Amino acid sequence: MATRKSEHLRGAIREALEQEILTGERQPGERLDEQALASRFGVSRTPVREALHQLVATSLVELRPNRGAFVRQVSLRELVEMFEVMAELEAMAGRLAARRAEPAPLARLEAALKACESAAQSGDADAYYAENSLFHEAIYDACGNAFLASEAKRLHQRLKAYRRLQLRVPKRIGQSLAEHRLIVSAIAAGEEKAAERELRKHITIQGERFADFVSSVQRRDAAE
Amino acid sequence: MATRKSEHLRGAIREALEQEILTGERQPGERLDEQALASRFGVSRTPVREALHQLVATSLVELRPNRGAFVRQVSLRELVEMFEVMAELEAMAGRLAARRAEPAPLARLEAALKACESAAQSGDADAYYAENSLFHEAIYDACGNAFLASEAKRLHQRLKAYRRLQLRVPKRIGQSLAEHRLIVSAIAAGEEKAAERELRKHITIQGERFADFVSSVQRRDAAE
DNA sequence: CATCACGAAATTGTATACAAGGGCTTTGAC
DNA sequence: GTCAAAGCCCTTGTATACAATTTCGTGATG
């Protein structure tokens, strides 16, 4: 999409900070100095403050009163909990999509699956990662519940950075793709229970793989 | 709870506006003038703006660029969708609570049920409404997933104003209470499926009753 | 030598001042 | 008489200035 020329400053700043936090460029617990950010972006403190407040709303940033803004520390436990909720929302979306099974969203879903297959064949993990996101969004959009779709996208977005890590696991892409195929055929066939079950499994596996990965890396972390 | 003396202005303003919107004192679509609010609260525009932005994050207020803030118009369709998601989250919380079934949260849940019974006997709809909220929060807290609990509370809060309406329906309180009893016994017995099923039904009924009520009242509304 | 208190510096929170953008009204032309 | 365009006014968006609170440093005292 084209970059809107009249986009407000706080929007641009929010996106920039969001990116930095999600990519891990900004370490959890790091303090975000308003003045420093202002001079870095070449603006005053006002839009920076507004951007930080928006990030607080998305739980990426924590705001201690009269202390400043800090990159929020997300514990392993909380991440596992988030994946658990994500699995439930995805399963619900899949069930509803199977129940409705309207032609147009279904066609988009199958197109997204094909795109995943292409990306998988090319062996490009980043490409598969991108197509994977679009595939899941296609499921949300097919569920016929716009509110559920927006909530699912919100949570998906929050888990984005973490989800990316576990695609590095060998053979995970092929396995993920096989699961995608099962999901699509269940939805297309209108099999609610199968769609729900397969999607729940799909996300739960991601969560477990991720938890294993993180706990093996961050073993040094103190138990909070 | 005691009012914290050092509470920031934007917090107080946010709560005040939130209250006014949820109680319907502020009509949907109504414009919220920054300057007017500032002079009304005896502060400058800055904290008012920050409060409005926070309300945007909770979807209570819509912000049209360079146009100002408006009380968000929630369509009947969107409300039905929100109740559908609420039902799923509550069902999930109930299932997890039944699975874990730890003594302390269970005791709090049973206490909340007793409080509902007392309020129902007194015939005070508002009191039952308040205890009902606490009962549902007790379920969230018993699920052992803090993230799910916070998300459920957030959505519960957003549906608060609408939920309140349909308690006016005669005999609904007694029926609600009976459903609560079924839910608690299922959770206490560790029957995951029963807890999930009863909670889903409980919320779905609320949603349907509410939809009936609204559509009978707002029949004049133009289809958007 | 440690601990507590006072003070100064720095940072957030709020107020005010300025700029920019959009809507509404009025006026002119067809 | 109607439609369109331009200008004024009001509003939001941003910058700067001020106030209040917190933290860290320094010194004095037990």
Side-chain angles (χ1 to χ4, degrees), chain B residues 12 52 60 88 96 111 134 136 140-141 144 150 180 219 224:
Chain B
L52 287 175
L60 279 167
E88 192 78 15
L96 295 182
L134 292 175
H136 283 276
Y140 310 151
D141 288 333
S150 74
H180 282 194
R219 206 171 288 279
E224 191 187 1

Side-chain angles (χ1 to χ4, degrees), chain B residues 88-99:
Chain B
E88 192 78 15
L89 292 182
E90 295 248 5
M92 180 185 182
R95 168 163 47 86
L96 295 182
R99 183 181 307 171

Side-chain angles (χ1 to χ4, degrees), chain B residues 94-107 142-144 186-191:
Chain B
R95 168 163 47 86
L96 295 182
R99 183 181 307 171
R100 271 117 188 179
E102 301 200 13
L106 218 68
C143 80
I187 291 175
E191 295 169 356

Side-chain angles (χ1 to χ4, degrees), chain A residues 6 8 10 46 49-50 53-54 57 63 65-66 77-78 80-82 84-85 88-89 91-92 95-96 99-100 144-148 151 154-155 158 196 200, chain B residues 6 8 10 49-50 53-54 57 63 65-66 77-78 80-82 84-86 88-89 91-92 95-96 99-100 144-148 151 154-155 158 196 200:
Chain A
S6 183
H8 288 312
R10 65 162 173 277
T46 309
R49 279 179 67 79
E50 299 199 340
H53 286 301
Q54 286 187 265
L63 206 63
N66 295 354
R77 180 197 174 91
E78 188 174 359
V80 170
E81 292 178 353
M82 287 166 73
E84 199 173 21
V85 173
E88 192 77 15
L89 291 182
M92 178 185 182
R95 168 164 48 85
L96 295 181
R99 183 181 307 170
R100 270 116 188 179
N145 183 324
F147 179 74
L148 171 58
E151 290 291 297
R154 199 172 55 91
L155 189 49
R158 273 197 66 187
E196 181 173 353
R200 194 191 303 270
Chain B
S6 183
H8 288 313
R10 65 162 175 276
R49 280 179 66 80
E50 298 198 339
H53 285 302
Q54 284 187 268
L63 206 63
N66 295 353
R77 180 198 175 91
E78 190 174 1
V80 170
E81 292 178 353
M82 286 166 73
E84 198 173 23
V85 174
M86 186 83 248
E88 192 78 15
L89 292 182
M92 180 185 182
R95 168 163 47 86
L96 295 182
R99 183 181 307 171
R100 271 117 188 179
N145 182 326
F147 178 73
L148 171 58
E151 289 291 298
R154 199 172 56 89
L155 189 48
R158 274 198 65 186
E196 181 173 352
R200 194 191 302 271

Side-chain angles (χ1 to χ4, degrees), chain B residues 2-224:
Chain B
T3 57
R4 281 164 284 180
K5 64 173 186 297
S6 183
E7 187 72 32
H8 288 313
L9 290 178
R10 65 162 175 276
I13 295 168
R14 184 182 61 78
E15 283 179 26
L17 289 176
E18 203 170 80
Q19 202 63 19
E20 290 179 12
I21 292 172
L22 288 178
T23 59
E25 199 172 333
R26 298 277 183 173
Q27 290 294 326
E30 185 178 338
R31 185 165 154 281
L32 299 167
D33 189 86
E34 293 180 0
Q35 191 124 323
L37 291 170
S39 54
R40 187 188 131 198
F41 286 104
V43 297
S44 79
R45 274 177 51 219
T46 310
V48 171
R49 280 179 66 80
E50 298 198 339
L52 287 175
H53 285 302
Q54 284 187 268
L55 290 172
V56 168
T58 57
S59 302
L60 279 167
V61 162
E62 187 183 6
L63 206 63
R64 299 182 213 169
N66 295 353
R67 291 292 311 278
F70 297 81
V71 178
R72 191 145 181 284
Q73 176 74 269
V74 179
S75 68
L76 176 57
R77 180 198 175 91
E78 190 174 1
L79 274 169
V80 170
E81 292 178 353
M82 286 166 73
F83 268 105
E84 198 173 23
V85 174
M86 186 83 248
E88 192 78 15
L89 292 182
E90 295 248 5
M92 180 185 182
R95 168 163 47 86
L96 295 182
R99 183 181 307 171
R100 271 117 188 179
E102 301 200 13
L106 218 68
R108 281 194 287 273
L109 182 58
E110 280 165 352
L113 176 60
K114 283 207 174 63
C116 284
E117 287 170 343
S118 304
Q121 280 183 351
S122 77
D124 183 352
D126 284 336
Y128 183 78
Y129 162 77
E131 294 300 341
N132 178 62
S133 280
L134 292 175
F135 174 79
H136 283 276
E137 290 198 1
I139 293 176
Y140 310 151
D141 288 333
C143 80
N145 182 326
F147 178 73
L148 171 58
S150 74
E151 289 291 298
K153 282 176 191 169
R154 199 172 56 89
L155 189 48
H156 186 93
Q157 171 72 15
R158 274 198 65 186
L159 291 173
K160 210 172 171 180
Y162 309 107
R163 197 188 308 257
R164 184 169 218 152
L165 292 174
Q166 58 100 38
L167 277 180
R168 304 286 156 87
V169 175
K171 293 197 299 183
R172 175 62 196 138
I173 288 182
Q175 195 180 341
S176 167
L177 193 57
E179 291 162 6
H180 282 194
R181 289 201 192 92
L182 279 175
I183 291 163
V184 171
S185 54
I187 291 175
E191 295 169 356
E192 295 185 29
K193 294 213 169 174
E196 181 173 352
R197 174 170 23 88
E198 294 304 326
L199 260 167
R200 194 191 302 271
K201 214 194 299 177
H202 180 59
I203 306 298
T204 302
I205 287 173
Q206 284 187 5
E208 285 170 357
R209 289 287 162 89
F210 170 73
D212 293 345
F213 179 79
V214 170
S215 63
S216 72
V217 169
Q218 299 191 336
R219 206 171 288 279
R220 69 190 181 286
D221 284 16
E224 191 187 1

Side-chain angles (χ1 to χ4, degrees), chain A:
Chain A
M1 69 190 86
T3 56
R4 282 165 283 179
K5 65 173 184 299
S6 183
E7 188 70 32
H8 288 312
L9 291 178
R10 65 162 173 277
I13 295 168
R14 184 183 60 78
E15 283 179 26
L17 288 176
E18 201 170 80
Q19 202 64 18
E20 290 180 12
I21 293 172
L22 287 177
T23 59
E25 198 170 335
R26 298 275 182 174
Q27 290 294 325
E30 185 178 337
R31 183 164 156 280
L32 298 168
D33 188 87
E34 292 181 359
Q35 191 124 324
L37 291 170
S39 54
R40 185 188 133 197
F41 286 105
V43 297
S44 80
R45 273 177 53 218
T46 309
V48 171
R49 279 179 67 79
E50 299 199 340
L52 287 174
H53 286 301
Q54 286 187 265
L55 291 172
V56 168
T58 56
S59 301
L60 279 166
V61 162
E62 189 183 5
L63 206 63
R64 300 181 214 169
N66 295 354
R67 291 292 312 278
F70 298 81
V71 178
R72 190 147 182 282
Q73 176 76 271
V74 179
S75 68
L76 176 58
R77 180 197 174 91
E78 188 174 359
L79 274 169
V80 170
E81 292 178 353
M82 287 166 73
F83 268 105
E84 199 173 21
V85 173
M86 186 83 246
E88 192 77 15
L89 291 182
E90 295 247 6
M92 178 185 182
R95 168 164 48 85
L96 295 181
R99 183 181 307 170
R100 270 116 188 179
E102 301 200 11
L106 217 68
R108 281 193 287 274
L109 183 58
E110 280 165 352
L113 175 60
K114 283 206 174 66
C116 284
E117 286 171 343
S118 303
Q121 280 184 349
S122 78
D124 183 353
D126 285 335
Y128 184 79
Y129 162 78
E131 294 300 340
N132 178 63
S133 280
L134 292 174
F135 174 78
H136 283 275
E137 290 198 0
I139 293 177
Y140 310 151
D141 289 333
C143 80
N145 183 324
F147 179 74
L148 171 58
S150 74
E151 290 291 297
K153 282 176 190 169
R154 199 172 55 91
L155 189 49
H156 185 93
Q157 173 70 15
R158 273 197 66 187
L159 291 173
K160 210 172 172 180
Y162 310 106
R163 197 188 307 257
R164 186 167 218 153
L165 292 176
Q166 59 99 34
L167 276 180
R168 304 287 157 85
V169 176
K171 292 198 300 183
R172 174 62 197 140
I173 288 183
Q175 194 180 342
S176 167
L177 193 58
E179 291 162 8
H180 282 194
R181 289 202 192 92
L182 280 175
I183 291 163
V184 171
S185 54
I187 291 176
E191 294 169 357
E192 294 185 28
K193 297 215 166 174
E196 181 173 353
R197 173 169 24 89
E198 293 305 325
L199 260 165
R200 194 191 303 270
K201 215 193 301 175
H202 180 59
I203 307 297
T204 302
I205 287 173
Q206 284 187 6
E208 285 171 356
R209 289 288 163 90
F210 170 73
D212 293 344
F213 179 78
V214 169
S215 63
S216 72
V217 168
Q218 299 190 338
R219 204 172 291 278
R220 69 191 183 284
D221 284 14
E224 192 185 5

